[in-house]
């Protein structure tokens, strides 16, 4: 940070000459100076260049109005005002809180002023740098000689090898110097929560509106397990969202607890609508408990908020309605909800404490904020046993954490503090809204078909749109609850032709997988692909150029599709997977072939039925994993799954929602689950390159999907 913006006076000699002297003195101090053309130009510069570390201006010309506008962008940015003996110093108490320093126009004072600006800049950097990151930066600058881990010794070892030198040059010196041992006492301890690590946790808790926060370096997969290990003792019963991340299934496999599933709704497009209100009632839970062997009243509940497609709950209803001691909101995909008013009341940490309950919220700091992969946070509101919780924390946390990941968590939090942080999130919302409007405009202007967007009419103002009951066919949920679920505007779902929101299949259609492959070959990677929908995430890292690349890709696809180009020319990577099959095929033939298969299997009906009747739980996931460890499993073709107990979670991607859990058996009543899986397999067998990724199943070279099941007693080894 070494850029100083100077708003020069209007060609008055006694003012111009001191400014010229200051410019020279600042350059001697290592600063780079820029001269905006007026106040509006300056504000745009500050907004778009975060390396601006100070503004020099004439007080008589710009005064407090400019200071207030700068303060709205960055309340910490130092401001330096030149005054003369006749200047009016009308500064109130509120304005005095701003970081303003005053200097008189005088010759031969530039060096002293430049030195003061240098000191203020250092204070500014110190103010905005969070505690652990600051300690890590200082440690690296000290350049100490260590005789402890890691073995590369600040990168020295890499430079002793040709391939190691390539690695060193790629990642850079500071990255490797910041990879340090937990033995470095001045940084405190991540496991013991001392020193700068403790300061960082307190800093993060204040930022995210929590009472206590924990930094986790192996992703929210680990955060979920930490919370679950603490909140539910062996033998207890837990309410779990069926739309859970697979890390929670792994928790159930690790810990001997009994799951009771909260079943979400879904629409014909395959978009999850969240758990309906009736599922949270005491009567509904009591019925589930009575139907589940060995189950007692639940001690803990896990809710996915938001869903993969961006639907958020009004969390206060859940907190007040669920009669359990603790509630965990898995908010991996929404770490930003505390920083924009449209998300008020839609996050785990929103509002005050819930009497008699502990609220947990886990967030993937790396998913949509600026943190390294594996960066995650656990937030807590309510009374809990810190020592016991920390034992669960240490069970899953390495004793050799990567300090760069930890510092990136804290830095991501620091970026969200204050006015500049709110502006970051607001930009994401505004860019997503602009993108939505552009898709609508292109649709209106296009000849024939174009892509649609999953949203209500009229999306001009920033808000989360309610999934309301009755007559609102845009969302496709027939039995929606009032004021329960809300669509996050930065999760943008593009719809391809072929299926309506209510599940009506058209004669012709364009499966979304074709569009995703087309975009991927042009450098645009889609977050999630459904049968006829594509999900794009407008995180804080998305700018106008990236959004434009998506719009360009969509329009290029339409042009190529309407020309009915050969697959070989339009999707060369797909063609390369099976040149003989695709040699003379054109894109419309491929699209209609897949679309016809989907219509033949009646996908909307099949998908709704597949998630309406859950398989029967024969063993808990923990019991099933113990059987697997003992070798009491065998492999069968997926078509033989009816009547067999699945050893693993079976999860097709897309849509990325578990269909079968470990220890569950598909019965005749839940056969649509298998029919849905077989339909996905059929598409891959007919069209090379469109094989579905099914977690829990192994795809052979012959195109066969194999799954592991519990051995049947009497035929193999006894269970």
């Amino acid at each position: 940070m070494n850029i100083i913006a100077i708003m020069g006076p209007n060609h008055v000699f006694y003012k111009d000459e001191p400014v010229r002297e200051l410019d020279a003195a600042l350059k001697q101090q290592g600063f780079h100076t820029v001269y905006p053309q007026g106040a509006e130009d300056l504000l745009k510069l500050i907004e778009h260049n975060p390396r601006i570390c100070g503004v020099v201006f004439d007080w008589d010309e710009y005064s407090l109005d400019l200071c207030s506008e700068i303060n709205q962008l960055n309340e910490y940015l130092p401001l330096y005002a030149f005054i003369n003996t006749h200047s009016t110093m009308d500064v109130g108490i509120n304005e005095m809180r701003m970081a303003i320093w005053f200097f008189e126009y005088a010759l031969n004072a530039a060096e002293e002023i430049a030195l003061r600006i240098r000191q203020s800049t250092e204070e500014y950097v110190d103010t905005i740098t969070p505690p652990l990151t600051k300690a890590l930066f200082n440690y690296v600058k000290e350049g100490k000689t260590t005789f402890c881990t890691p073995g590369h010794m600040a990168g020295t070892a890499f430079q002793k090898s040709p391939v190691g030198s390539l690695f060193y040059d790629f990642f850079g010196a500071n990255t490797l110097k910041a990879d340090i041992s937990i033995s470095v006492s001045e940084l405190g301890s991540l496991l013991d929560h001392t020193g700068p690590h403790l300061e960082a946790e307190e800093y993060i808790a204040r930022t995210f509106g929590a009472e206590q926060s924990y930094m986790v370096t192996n992703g929210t997969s680990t955060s979920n397990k930490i919370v679950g290990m603490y909140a539910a003792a062996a033998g207890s019963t837990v309410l779990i969202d069926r739309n859970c991340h697979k890390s929670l299934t792994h928790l159930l496999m690790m810990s001997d607890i009994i799951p009771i599933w909260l079943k979400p709704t879904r629409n014909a497009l395959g978009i999850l609508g969240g758990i309906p209100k009736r599922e949270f009632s005491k009567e509904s839970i009591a019925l589930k408990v009575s139907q589940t062997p060995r189950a007692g009243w639940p001690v803990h509940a896990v809710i996915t908020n938001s869903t993969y497609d961006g639907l958020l709950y009004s969390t206060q209803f859940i907190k007040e309605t669920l009669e359990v001691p603790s509630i965990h909101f898995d908010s991996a995909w929404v770490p930003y909800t505390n920083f924009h008013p449209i998300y008020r009341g839609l996050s785990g940490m929103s509002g005050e404490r819930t009497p008699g309950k502990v609220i947990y919220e886990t967030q993937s700091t790396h998913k949509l904020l600026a943190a390294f992969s594996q960066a995650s946070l656990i937030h807590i509101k309510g009374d809990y046993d810190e020592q016991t919780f920390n034992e669960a924390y240490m069970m899953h946390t390495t004793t050799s954490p990567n300090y760069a990941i930890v510092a990136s968590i804290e830095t991501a939090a620091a970026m969200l503090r204050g006015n500049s942080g709110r502006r970051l999130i607001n930009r994401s919302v505004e860019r997503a809204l602009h993108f939505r409007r552009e898709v609508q405009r292109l649709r209106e202007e296009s000849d024939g078909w174009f892509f649609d967007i999953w949203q209500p009419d009229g999306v001009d103002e920033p808000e989360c749109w309610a999934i309301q009951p009755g007559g609102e066919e845009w969302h496709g949920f027939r039995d929606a609850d009032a004021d329960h679920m809300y669509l996050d505007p930065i999760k943008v779902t593009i719809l391809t032709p072929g299926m309506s929101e209510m599940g009506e299949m058209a004669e012709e259609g364009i499966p979304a997988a074709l569009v995703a492959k087309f975009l991927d070959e042009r450098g645009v990677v889609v977050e999630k692909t459904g049968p006829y929908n594509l999900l794009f995430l407008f995180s804080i890292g998305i700018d106008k150029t990236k959004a434009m690349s998506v719009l360009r890709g969509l329009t290029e696809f339409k042009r190529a599709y309407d020309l009915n180009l050969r697959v070989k020319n339009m999707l060369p990577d797909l063609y390369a997977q099976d040149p003989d099959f695709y040699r003379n095929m054109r894109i419309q033939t491929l699209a209609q072939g897949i679309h016809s298969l989907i219509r033949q299997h009646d996908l909307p009906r099949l998908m709704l039925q597949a998630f309406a009747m859950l398989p029967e739980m024969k063993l808990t996931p923990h019991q099933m994993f113990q059987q697997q460890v003992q070798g009491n499993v065998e492999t069968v073709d997926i078509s033989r799954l009816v009547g067999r107990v699945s050893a693993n979670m079976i999860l097709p991607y897309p849509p990325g929602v578990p269909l079968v859990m470990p220890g569950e058996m598909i019965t005749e009543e839940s056969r649509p689950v298998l029919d849905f899986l077989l339909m996905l397999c059929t598409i891959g067998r007919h069209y090379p390159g469109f094989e579905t990724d099914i977690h829990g199943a192994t795809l052979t070279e012959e195109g066969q999907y194999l799954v592991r099941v519990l051995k049947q007693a009497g035929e193999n080894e006894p269970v």
Side-chain angles (χ1 to χ4, degrees):
M1 289 192 175
N2 66 340
I3 304 174
I4 298 290
I6 299 178
M7 302 288 288
N10 291 325
H11 307 293
V12 180
F13 178 76
Y14 83 89
K15 294 182 178 180
D16 286 348
E17 189 59 26
V19 171
R20 276 195 289 269
E21 288 184 357
L22 178 59
D23 182 280
L26 287 171
K27 288 174 179 175
Q28 284 186 339
Q29 286 282 347
F31 289 103
H32 175 69
T33 56
V34 294
Y35 287 81
Q37 302 299 308
E40 186 175 346
D41 192 28
L42 170 67
L43 294 172
K44 289 292 183 185
L45 179 68
I46 294 171
E47 184 176 2
H48 295 288
N49 193 332
R51 288 181 171 79
I52 298 290
C53 62
V55 178
V56 176
F57 64 99
D58 182 84
W59 179 259
D60 293 333
E61 186 171 350
Y62 295 104
S63 191
L64 279 175
D65 291 340
L66 178 64
C67 296
S68 297
E69 291 186 83
I70 293 173
N71 201 250
Q72 288 300 310
L73 297 174
N74 183 351
E75 64 268 46
Y76 305 111
L77 187 67
L79 308 176
Y80 308 101
F82 270 112
I83 60 174
N84 58 48
T85 54
H86 302 292
S87 296
T88 302
M89 299 293 292
D90 187 13
V91 181
I93 294 177
N94 289 332
E95 288 79 18
M96 288 300 291
R97 294 174 181 172
M98 299 180 188
I100 307 176
W101 284 263
F102 293 92
F103 305 111
E104 287 195 13
Y105 285 110
L107 296 177
N108 301 319
E111 288 188 9
E112 182 180 343
I113 295 173
L115 181 61
R116 182 70 185 97
I117 290 175
R118 164 61 61 195
Q119 293 170 344
S120 297
T121 301
E122 290 172 355
E123 291 170 5
Y124 167 63
V125 172
D126 186 72
T127 297
I128 65 173
T129 308
L132 175 67
T133 303
K134 188 186 304 180
L136 183 60
F137 286 0
N138 290 337
Y139 176 83
V140 170
K141 288 176 185 176
E142 289 173 357
K144 290 184 177 180
T145 300
T146 63
F147 289 85
C148 53
T149 62
H152 63 72
M153 293 293 168
T156 304
F158 288 114
Q159 298 181 80
K160 295 182 178 181
S161 158
V163 66
S165 296
L166 292 174
F167 185 90
Y168 182 93
D169 293 342
F170 181 84
F171 283 100
N174 280 342
T175 300
L176 299 169
K177 289 177 182 177
D179 184 23
I180 61 176
S181 171
I182 198 170
S183 302
V184 177
S185 58
E186 54 259 54
L187 269 71
S189 170
L190 179 67
L191 299 179
D192 296 335
H193 313 284
T194 58
H197 279 92
L198 174 61
E199 294 177 48
E201 289 173 347
E202 293 171 343
Y203 179 95
I204 289 167
R206 290 194 301 271
T207 302
F208 284 85
E211 293 175 4
Q212 179 66 51
S213 295
Y214 291 84
M215 299 181 290
V216 180
T217 58
N218 197 28
T220 301
S221 296
T222 294
S223 293
N224 289 343
K225 294 169 194 166
I226 291 169
V227 173
M229 291 290 283
Y230 168 77
S236 62
T237 301
V238 175
L239 293 169
I240 299 189
D241 191 340
R242 186 72 180 195
N243 172 35
C244 66
H245 187 259
K246 61 182 181 179
S247 61
L248 288 156
T249 305
H250 292 146
L251 167 69
L252 296 174
M253 295 167 72
M254 295 165 60
S255 188
D256 186 14
I257 52 182
I258 302 165
I260 289 181
W261 302 109
L262 296 170
K263 192 167 61 175
T265 59
R266 75 190 289 113
N267 66 11
L269 293 169
I271 295 173
L272 283 156
I275 303 162
K277 285 184 175 180
R278 62 180 179 273
E279 289 276 298
F280 297 110
S281 70
K282 185 175 182 179
E283 294 74 19
S284 174
I285 295 169
L287 179 61
K288 292 175 186 285
V289 169
S290 68
Q291 295 172 342
T292 305
R294 299 194 302 121
W297 191 259
V299 300
H300 182 60
V302 184
I303 312 295
T304 306
N305 188 48
S306 80
T307 67
Y308 207 152
D309 300 284
L311 291 179
L312 291 150
Y313 292 94
S314 178
T315 55
Q316 193 61 31
F317 169 82
I318 298 174
K319 294 175 186 177
E320 293 174 353
T321 305
L322 270 181
E323 293 194 17
V324 290
S326 61
I327 303 172
H328 168 201
F329 291 98
D330 179 1
S331 301
W333 291 93
V334 284
Y336 48 81
T337 48
N338 194 49
F339 307 98
H340 198 292
I342 66 171
Y343 301 110
R344 188 172 291 116
L346 305 181
S347 69
M349 290 297 105
S350 63
E352 302 300 321
R353 273 190 171 204
T354 304
K357 296 176 185 176
V358 184
I359 306 299
Y360 303 93
E361 186 167 36
T362 54
Q363 298 175 340
S364 289
T365 328
H366 67 94
K367 276 189 166 67
L368 288 155
L369 299 182
F372 287 168
S373 291
Q374 299 189 30
S376 179
L377 286 169
I378 301 171
H379 303 301
I380 305 175
K381 265 187 181 174
D383 297 322
Y384 70 105
D385 186 328
E386 292 187 27
Q387 290 186 342
T388 305
F389 186 90
N390 200 53
E391 288 298 320
Y393 179 87
M394 290 192 292
M395 286 180 198
H396 297 277
T397 304
T398 176
T399 54
S400 302
N402 185 293
Y403 279 60
I405 296 176
V406 180
S408 79
I409 299 172
E410 185 191 47
T411 299
M415 289 174 65
L416 295 175
R417 288 171 71 90
N419 295 335
S420 58
R422 285 186 287 274
R423 193 175 74 252
L424 271 178
I425 303 304
N426 192 52
R427 278 185 191 168
S428 286
V429 174
E430 289 178 346
R431 288 195 182 109
L433 290 174
H434 181 265
F435 178 82
R436 290 170 179 273
R437 289 192 289 266
E438 286 299 293
V439 173
Q440 287 181 312
R441 180 184 62 81
L442 290 170
R443 182 176 173 82
E444 292 168 0
E445 296 175 357
S446 290
D447 294 327
W449 72 275
F450 195 68
F451 301 94
D452 202 352
I453 198 158
W454 190 63
Q455 63 185 24
D457 294 331
V459 295
D460 295 329
E461 296 300 322
E463 62 177 312
C464 289
W465 302 296
I467 307 295
Q468 297 289 26
E472 296 194 54
E473 292 189 355
W474 73 267
H475 55 68
F477 295 106
R478 292 182 172 86
D479 299 314
D481 292 308
D483 305 321
H484 184 48
M485 301 296 298
Y486 296 80
L487 175 59
D488 184 347
I490 77 164
K491 309 289 178 65
V492 181
T493 297
I494 298 293
L495 304 179
T496 64
M499 182 193 294
S500 74
E501 289 87 346
M502 300 306 292
E504 298 163 349
M505 297 292 295
E507 289 291 326
E508 296 182 353
I510 303 174
L514 282 175
V515 185
K517 289 182 182 296
F518 181 87
L519 293 174
D520 187 69
E521 293 195 17
R522 282 147 187 82
V524 176
V525 180
V526 178
E527 173 57 40
K528 180 175 79 76
T529 306
Y532 294 92
N533 52 80
L534 304 159
L535 177 65
F536 298 86
L537 307 178
F538 276 71
S539 67
I540 60 175
I542 297 296
D543 55 26
K544 289 182 179 178
T545 59
K546 291 182 174 67
M548 183 61 68
S549 67
V550 177
L551 291 172
R552 185 180 296 111
L554 295 176
T555 54
E556 287 177 357
F557 180 91
K558 173 182 165 52
R559 189 180 303 115
Y561 185 87
D562 289 347
L563 291 171
N564 200 17
L565 298 182
R566 294 182 185 274
V567 172
K568 177 180 181 180
N569 298 324
M570 189 171 169
L571 298 169
D573 289 350
L574 176 65
Y575 171 82
Q577 293 190 43
D578 198 327
D580 291 336
F581 183 84
Y582 290 114
R583 190 168 306 283
N584 297 311
M585 187 179 291
R586 293 185 179 273
I587 189 64
Q588 291 184 16
T589 303
L590 174 58
Q592 297 319 308
I594 299 176
H595 180 67
S596 296
L597 270 178
I598 292 173
R599 286 190 69 200
Q600 177 185 327
H601 286 86
D602 194 3
L603 174 66
R605 176 193 58 81
L606 192 59
M607 196 151 50
L608 289 171
Q609 288 182 349
F611 291 89
M613 179 63 71
L614 297 181
E616 184 179 336
M617 185 171 70
K618 293 294 185 180
L619 299 172
T620 66
H622 176 78
Q623 290 170 334
M624 185 61 247
F625 184 65
Q626 296 306 307
Q627 294 293 333
Q628 193 168 177
V629 169
Q630 295 170 38
N632 292 331
V633 292
E634 60 182 337
T635 302
V636 300
D637 187 273
I638 197 170
S639 62
R640 297 172 53 200
L641 202 50
V642 172
R644 303 302 300 269
V645 178
S646 178
N648 295 318
M649 172 176 55
I650 300 177
L651 182 152
Y653 185 87
V657 177
L659 284 178
V660 184
M661 292 291 183
E664 289 185 340
M665 182 179 75
I666 294 179
T667 62
E668 286 300 327
E669 290 77 12
S670 57
R671 191 181 183 96
V673 172
L674 179 59
D675 293 339
F676 177 66
L677 289 169
L678 293 177
M679 184 213 67
L680 298 176
C681 300
T682 299
I683 294 174
R685 279 196 291 268
H686 279 77
Y687 293 96
F690 289 90
E691 295 81 7
T692 299
D693 180 15
I694 302 179
H695 298 189
T698 302
L699 179 61
T700 68
E701 292 183 1
E702 295 76 25
Q704 186 181 18
Y705 284 91
L706 302 178
V707 294
R708 303 186 88 192
V709 296
L710 181 68
K711 286 182 179 179
Q712 291 182 332
E715 294 182 7
N716 300 287
E717 297 176 21
V719 176

